[in-house]
Amino acid sequence: MMQIANATLDARGLNCPLPILKTKKELTSLTAGETLMMLSSDPGSVKDIESFCLQTGNELLESAASDNEFSFLIRKV
Amino acid sequence: MNSMNAVSDSQLTDLDAWFDQRFAQKMADHEAAHVPSMTIIATKGTLDMAYPPFILASTAAALGWDVAIFFTFYGLTLLKRELDLKVTPLGNPAMPIKLPSGPDWLKGRELNIPTSLMANLPGFQNAASSLMKKGMREKGVASIDELRSLCVEADVKLIACQMTVDLFDWRRDDFMDEISDWVGAASFLPIAQKADVNLFV
């Protein structure tokens, strides 16, 4: 079960690299420690969000997948 | 043996161990503080070839990298105020040609006609371009305008080649205000020299 996040971003229907770019933008509006729930329908975003978090230092708390839909809980550093 | 140089083997071993540890620490600090950077040379002005530089630049900026793109020759058209980009099947045998509508048995099937023949049909280039744009909208792929705006927002440096404007008798006024510099190779290369990633598109 996913925790409740401070903000939600629905990036479903968007393709590479938009889910990443919109995630980055959304994180900018949060303060450190706050969390973002991102929803995506792009299968590439599973690896891409992992890599994005590794590179930017933001913490990927949870990552879940169900029938062509993916959700990510990210904590801003 | 000179007494000044009389360092025992065990002292040397200690010194080496200290240095190795210190060096590894310093390298790790340096790595952690390093902001990655990328430069791209964009030389093509077609709809399909406009994507790689803008996708890579906007994504790298989202990862926190410093990015600069040098637009030269046909690539400079990507910085025009009004974008009117086209894609052509001519000389591009890998481009899939599919009919978006029509009978079910034909729709969505790749048509096996040489692109050199199709490219000679009047209006084919415009048709192919609008079909590709339509497909991109349907698949949630960003438009070039959108990616370009995201690059500007993320402080990607857009560098224009001065020689190209002169060569094609274009005017600087036709190009976007966000261009950071109008320069030549000698100004771009020192930026590329310091970058971690250099790409030519």
Side-chain angles (χ1 to χ4, degrees):
Chain A
M1 188 67 193
M2 286 273 183
Q3 308 168 29
I4 292 173
N6 296 95
T8 306
L9 169 66
D10 187 355
R12 286 174 297 181
L14 299 180
N15 220 319
C16 168
L18 286 175
I20 296 288
L21 302 184
K22 298 213 179 265
T23 298
K24 161 76 182 176
K25 251 178 126 169
E26 198 64 36
L27 283 171
T28 315
S29 64
L30 297 182
T31 54
E34 287 190 320
T35 52
L36 170 70
M37 167 69 74
M38 198 277 268
L39 305 174
S40 164
S41 54
D42 167 24
S45 61
V46 177
K47 289 276 179 191
D48 283 355
I49 284 287
E50 251 178 60
S51 169
F52 167 80
C53 288
L54 264 181
Q55 180 102 79
T56 55
N58 294 296
E59 198 182 344
L60 181 57
L61 299 174
E62 288 182 49
S63 168
S66 64
D67 326 320
N68 300 323
E69 267 196 32
F70 310 92
S71 59
F72 308 91
L73 187 65
I74 303 166
R75 177 156 54 214
K76 181 177 175 165
V77 281
Chain B
M1 194 181 194
N2 187 332
S3 63
M4 293 275 288
N5 295 331
V7 179
S8 72
D9 283 352
S10 78
Q11 276 175 315
L12 264 182
T13 309
D14 287 350
L15 197 59
D16 277 348
W18 172 84
F19 178 80
D20 286 347
Q21 194 200 346
R22 200 71 194 131
F23 184 72
Q25 179 62 49
K26 286 282 174 197
M27 289 301 282
D29 289 351
H30 180 263
E31 182 77 10
H34 175 71
V35 176
S37 57
M38 172 167 75
T39 58
I40 301 173
I41 302 173
T43 65
K44 306 283 198 300
T46 52
L47 176 64
D48 48 349
M49 294 308 280
Y51 274 89
F54 285 126
I55 286 183
L56 293 169
S58 55
T59 304
L63 295 180
W65 298 17
D66 280 340
V67 188
I69 316 177
F70 184 64
F71 296 87
T72 184
F73 272 78
Y74 315 113
L76 195 58
T77 54
L78 305 181
L79 295 184
K80 290 223 166 159
R81 284 182 200 279
E82 300 299 326
L83 288 174
D84 181 27
L85 303 178
K86 300 268 193 316
V87 62
T88 175
L90 192 61
N92 188 3
M95 184 174 162
I97 302 290
K98 295 178 187 177
L99 282 184
S101 54
D104 280 348
W105 61 270
L106 193 60
K107 196 170 78 177
R109 272 183 59 186
E110 277 193 34
L111 303 180
N112 193 16
I113 309 168
T115 51
S116 57
L117 291 181
M118 286 192 242
N120 284 319
L121 296 173
F124 195 88
Q125 183 174 292
N126 283 339
S129 302
S130 46
L131 281 181
M132 185 172 270
K133 285 177 186 167
K134 182 167 175 271
M136 281 164 165
R137 269 195 308 275
E138 280 166 5
K139 297 272 159 49
V141 174
S143 70
I144 289 300
D145 277 288
E146 190 176 4
L147 286 174
R148 191 171 77 166
S149 304
L150 286 163
C151 283
V152 168
E153 234 175 89
D155 285 332
V156 170
K157 267 211 200 73
L158 307 175
I159 306 172
C161 172
Q162 174 62 50
M163 178 272 276
T164 305
V165 204
D166 299 337
L167 172 68
F168 293 133
D169 283 325
W170 287 336
R171 296 177 315 131
R172 279 196 189 189
D173 289 352
D174 297 334
F175 295 88
M176 49 198 299
D177 299 323
E178 291 85 350
I179 291 172
S180 63
D181 260 323
W182 290 87
V183 294
S187 299
F188 173 72
L189 283 172
I191 308 173
Q193 187 206 352
K194 299 271 191 281
D196 300 299
V197 178
N198 291 295
L199 302 174
F200 180 91
V201 179

